[in-house]
Amino acid sequence: MPQQQSPEQGNASIIDGAIAQQAMPTKLRSVFIINTGIANMASLEASFRRLGIATVRTLNPDDVLNASHVVLPGVGAFAAGMEELHRHGLVDAICERRSLNRPLLAVCLGMQLLCGSSQESTDTGADRNAQTNAQTDAPTNLGATSDIRGLSLFNTNVIRFPSHVRIPHFGWNQVEVPAGAKFLKPGYAYFANSYHLASIPSTTTSAHAVTIAAHTIHGDISFVSAVESGSLLACQFHPELSGAWGEDLIARWFTETSA
Amino acid sequence: MLTKRIIPCLDTKDGQVVKGVRFANLRSLGDPAALARAYEEQGADELVILDVSATPEGRRTAYDTISKVRDVLSIPLTVGGGIRESADVVRLLECGADKVSVNTAAVTNPELISHIAQTFGCQCTVLALDAARMLHSSANSSSPENTPPRWEVVTHSGAKRTGLDVIEWARQAQELGAGEILLTSWDKDGTRSGYDLELLTAVSTAVRIPVIASGGAATPTHLAEAFSAGADAVLAASIFHDGDYTVLDVKQYLQSVGVSVRI
């Protein structure tokens, strides 16, 4: 019998014993995906399914705090993403989960939400067009402080790519990984981002130091493409769309953090 | 460094892969999921599925086909054909598409692009732009070689010439939030004579978003030419479907001539 306490087991104990016995193995091999809105959830789910891991979409703070494995996905805008997390009362759950070093996979915008703020949320729609089109220089509110705070688990902010590189940063690029990584290996990953983390300090506001930061180069810009910290794996790229390399990465994160 | 992408395209109809020559004379080439998986294993960087019959016949894209492909595919999947409104996009994303491409409906209703971009993100929003060279007017016919080429947007799978200038439309789509342009030469599609390189250069210099070249590729040399002309990615169907070259063959050739690819 697995020793790990989880909410699924708690729930299972109050239902019919036969069902609980049937349900438990599946539930113990499952990942809870925070359903922050319309994203490419199906791709993420298919990736786990191919690895034999069931997925559950959730907006429940108890799941987000207590489930054995949680994914914070992300496609869309920073402000909208934070708004969704606040609206469903998930901010504290994610932060507490992190402080307890429970396994968390943050993907793309999900990784950016772990930071203090993003230039994206200070951009007006016109700024975003300028940013996407990259036909104009940086908007005038470049230095403005964002009203929208991120989860602030990483002591860094998300910034735009400068206008002299192709934006969005779309396609396969190399991930350079320093020695000692638990999950990450060097290789090509699939990216779709217009904003990035320029750097990340080796400490965080939580008790768990950032131990590994992988980098990727776009044009002449080097940015943080992934972060490992305890049971946390944060990826700017989409591991679920990064072929066998990405699927292996997801598998390593899951198995290495499974008690 | 960002690599150049090779994107096989599956044209589907009634759940089967077909190949179009000027979008007509379709012939069946088999099961989309099997082909999708084979292309990923060969090293394809993404996959595009276009339901070529969707617009003229008022069809919706085959959702079952997309789900089956997603089950076996771990690279990005773009789906186009018959997308008219947000509800179509939601269904496709739920089936496992990562991006959707809009064509005819966006020309009729450009706000569709901004709506999809705002709701689902520009990384999800691909403008499929079918371009055809404008015929020179009789006034210019005395010196056609001195007249810079112009292209107009065609819709309804090539059935309708709109008169809309391709460069202006590409710029407008970028402003509306399109994240990529899938640029098909109507003159070259199915001819196996190479991409329309002038068109590629004209569009890729007019916009800052990535441009995917499409229409006319038959050899690895054609793909190399497209990258030299400014393409960020190339779409190809028959070059791969016919089995003359695998994606890996093509990538090895491209690497040998100095194009950065993922191998």
Side-chain angles (χ1 to χ4, degrees):
Chain A
M1 279 297 288
Q3 297 304 306
Q4 192 182 359
Q5 289 303 307
S6 71
E8 307 87 67
Q9 284 172 296
N11 291 338
S13 66
I14 60 168
I15 58 175
D16 177 89
I19 294 173
Q21 277 185 355
Q22 264 190 337
M24 265 202 292
T26 310
K27 289 210 162 194
L28 287 170
R29 288 282 292 177
S30 63
V31 160
F32 283 67
I33 304 177
I34 299 176
N35 191 6
T36 47
I38 300 151
N40 63 337
M41 294 287 276
S43 298
L44 200 51
E45 289 163 340
S47 211
F48 281 108
R49 202 158 54 234
R50 282 191 293 271
L51 293 169
I53 302 163
T55 58
V56 183
R57 294 183 188 189
T58 186
L59 282 169
N60 182 333
D62 287 339
D63 290 341
V64 172
L65 175 59
N66 294 314
S68 72
H69 289 79
V70 168
V71 181
L72 177 59
V75 162
F78 185 90
M82 281 311 297
E83 209 172 288
E84 280 296 292
L85 296 185
H86 280 293
R87 195 154 66 89
H88 297 285
L90 300 178
V91 170
D92 289 347
I94 296 170
C95 291
E96 191 178 345
R97 179 177 188 86
R98 176 73 198 118
S99 71
L100 296 167
N101 193 32
R102 289 180 178 159
L104 178 65
L105 172 63
V107 176
C108 198
L109 177 69
M111 171 173 173
Q112 298 184 357
L113 293 175
L114 302 179
C115 300
S117 69
S118 172
Q119 279 186 348
E120 189 183 12
S121 61
T122 60
D123 286 353
T124 64
D127 290 334
R128 270 199 294 281
N129 278 341
Q131 142 77 10
T132 302
N133 302 340
Q135 285 174 330
T136 60
D137 290 327
T140 52
N141 62 353
L142 186 63
T145 305
S146 167
D147 291 327
I148 312 291
R149 295 299 301 170
L151 294 163
S152 300
L153 295 169
F154 291 162
N155 188 22
T156 190
N157 298 324
V158 183
I159 59 173
R160 286 180 208 90
F161 278 117
S163 57
H164 64 272
V165 298
R166 268 284 202 233
I167 305 171
H169 173 240
F170 247 144
W172 295 78
N173 206 334
Q174 261 174 315
V175 179
E176 295 163 17
V177 182
K182 188 162 57 169
F183 313 126
L184 290 158
K185 287 183 180 174
Y188 283 102
Y190 180 80
F191 291 84
N193 59 307
S194 297
Y195 296 80
H196 68 284
L197 285 67
S199 64
I200 187 161
S202 57
T203 57
T204 67
T205 54
S206 81
H208 304 279
V210 169
T211 48
I212 294 291
H215 285 83
T216 293
I217 294 168
H218 180 34
D220 56 353
I221 307 295
S222 172
F223 67 96
V224 178
S225 47
V227 172
E228 280 187 20
S229 176
S231 297
L232 168 72
L233 173 63
C235 307
Q236 179 59 72
F237 51 83
H238 287 274
E240 78 280 13
L241 300 178
S242 296
W245 180 88
E247 217 151 272
D248 289 348
L249 175 62
I250 293 173
R252 277 195 300 279
W253 167 75
F254 189 85
T255 51
E256 292 284 325
T257 58
S258 293
Chain B
M1 189 166 126
L2 200 57
T3 56
K4 301 292 186 183
R5 289 172 281 158
I6 311 297
I7 309 176
C9 175
L10 306 180
D11 290 356
T12 60
K13 189 186 181 192
D14 303 328
Q16 291 290 301
V17 176
V18 291
K19 184 176 72 174
V21 177
R22 295 205 173 204
F23 302 116
N25 302 321
L26 303 174
R27 67 185 174 92
S28 176
L29 282 166
D31 171 32
L35 268 171
R37 185 65 208 161
Y39 283 139
E40 180 181 330
E41 283 167 4
Q42 287 180 10
D45 294 309
E46 298 186 30
L47 191 76
V48 168
I49 292 182
L50 294 176
D51 190 348
V52 288
S53 61
T55 304
E57 298 176 23
R59 278 172 190 280
R60 301 287 167 173
T61 308
Y63 296 104
D64 280 354
T65 303
I66 305 307
S67 295
K68 284 174 188 154
V69 169
R70 178 79 281 163
D71 282 344
V72 299
L73 192 75
S74 57
I75 57 175
L77 175 62
T78 302
V79 179
I83 295 161
R84 291 182 181 77
E85 55 190 32
S86 279
D88 300 329
V89 180
V90 171
R91 279 192 73 181
L92 287 170
L93 294 180
E94 274 301 315
C95 290
D98 301 294
K99 318 181 201 181
V100 294
S101 75
V102 288
N103 188 340
T104 298
V107 174
T108 314
N109 172 27
E111 285 184 1
L112 180 64
I113 297 173
S114 50
H115 188 72
I116 295 173
Q118 280 164 18
T119 312
F120 309 99
C122 73
Q123 84 295 328
C124 174
T125 315
V126 181
L127 174 72
L129 199 169
D130 290 354
R133 284 184 182 241
M134 286 185 179
L135 303 172
H136 291 294
S137 66
S138 55
N140 292 331
S141 62
S142 57
S143 57
E145 69 276 10
N146 295 329
T147 311
R150 289 183 65 207
W151 297 265
E152 65 182 311
V153 177
V154 297
T155 59
H156 297 86
S157 300
K160 189 180 169 191
R161 288 184 170 244
T162 65
L164 183 61
D165 184 81
V166 161
I167 302 299
E168 282 173 27
W169 176 228
R171 285 194 177 126
Q172 190 189 347
Q174 174 180 259
E175 277 158 30
L176 290 167
E180 274 185 309
I181 293 174
L182 170 53
L183 180 65
T184 301
S185 165
W186 167 242
D187 306 294
K188 291 285 197 170
D189 196 67
T191 65
R192 302 177 66 87
S193 62
Y195 297 98
D196 185 339
L197 301 176
E198 287 181 309
L199 171 67
L200 265 174
T201 301
V203 175
S204 63
T205 52
V207 298
R208 292 297 305 264
I209 54 178
V211 173
I212 305 165
S214 164
T219 68
T221 315
H222 289 152
L223 274 59
E225 288 167 356
F227 291 125
S228 298
D232 297 280
V234 291
L235 190 84
S238 58
I239 182 174
F240 300 130
H241 293 345
D242 292 349
D244 296 338
Y245 303 95
T246 66
V247 178
L248 181 61
D249 292 338
V250 167
K251 283 186 156 183
Q252 283 170 339
Y253 166 77
L254 289 169
Q255 195 174 50
S256 75
V257 297
V259 178
S260 172
V261 290
R262 174 184 67 110
I263 291 187

